[in-house]
Amino acid sequence: MRKFKDARESDGEIDSKGAFVCGAASGVIAKLLDFPLDTIKTRMQLQGAHKNVATCATHIWSSEGILGFYAGIPAPLVACALCTAVGFSGFNTGVKVYDEVCGNVPNGEFIPERVAAGGFTAGIAKAVVTTPFELVKCRVQAQPLRWRGVAHCAKDSM
């Protein structure tokens, strides 16, 4: 049985690569669980032909199968994985910077300022990553006929 390298540093904290991988994995799992409901919501908003969630889900299942619930998932899946990975890494970095500036914290001790430093760093990092994705998404949603797709809109927005 092959053993994986432990992602923890000598002090028991997860290293930056480990935080990035954990964040990406959690983003992928969250998007895979969330996307079918998002697809149902979007279809109900755009088509208006379904009375409720159950009838919409039944229609998608019978006409498209399971893959119908995941139509269009590649871009959001990558974006969510990247944003969550950056958030985890940003939090990890913020906590490490706090520890360097204020001294190491005894293992397991909760210090609100330490968590705030991690959250602040994660928030900034996620905003930097998500803003371009959101800009392109909103432009395509608002004026879908103006662009030939997401890539064209992204290129035009630079």
Side-chain angles (χ1 to χ4, degrees):
M1 178 183 223
R2 193 174 106 175
K3 291 189 176 187
F4 291 97
K5 181 183 175 290
D6 194 349
R8 290 176 289 172
E9 296 176 346
S10 59
D11 61 0
E13 295 287 326
I14 293 179
D15 67 13
S16 296
K17 285 185 258 179
F20 191 87
V21 170
C22 289
S26 73
V28 167
I29 291 167
K31 189 52 64 183
L32 289 173
L33 294 173
D34 165 74
F35 206 75
L37 294 174
D38 192 46
T39 299
I40 292 168
K41 174 197 69 124
T42 301
R43 300 266 181 107
M44 288 180 73
Q45 287 174 334
L46 295 177
Q47 296 171 353
H50 306 289
K51 290 199 261 183
N52 57 44
V53 171
T55 59
C56 184
T58 303
H59 179 261
I60 294 170
W61 180 264
S62 63
S63 61
E64 302 171 52
I66 189 75
L67 294 179
F69 291 101
Y70 292 96
I73 196 170
L77 191 66
V78 170
C80 189
L82 180 61
C83 292
T84 310
V86 167
F88 273 48
S89 294
F91 183 86
N92 201 35
T93 300
V95 166
K96 286 181 189 244
V97 168
Y98 177 89
D99 289 349
E100 287 176 19
V101 171
C102 299
N104 281 337
V105 177
N107 202 7
E109 185 176 340
F110 176 77
I111 298 175
E113 295 85 2
R114 185 176 189 239
V115 175
F120 178 77
T121 309
I124 289 173
K126 284 183 77 169
V128 167
V129 171
T130 59
T131 299
F133 286 104
E134 286 297 314
L135 174 67
V136 169
K137 181 191 83 151
C138 290
R139 284 184 170 178
V140 171
Q141 285 177 329
Q143 296 175 321
L145 300 177
R146 181 175 174 183
W147 291 283
R148 293 182 303 271
V150 173
H152 178 232
C153 179
K155 183 180 175 191
D156 194 47
S157 297
M158 290 184 185

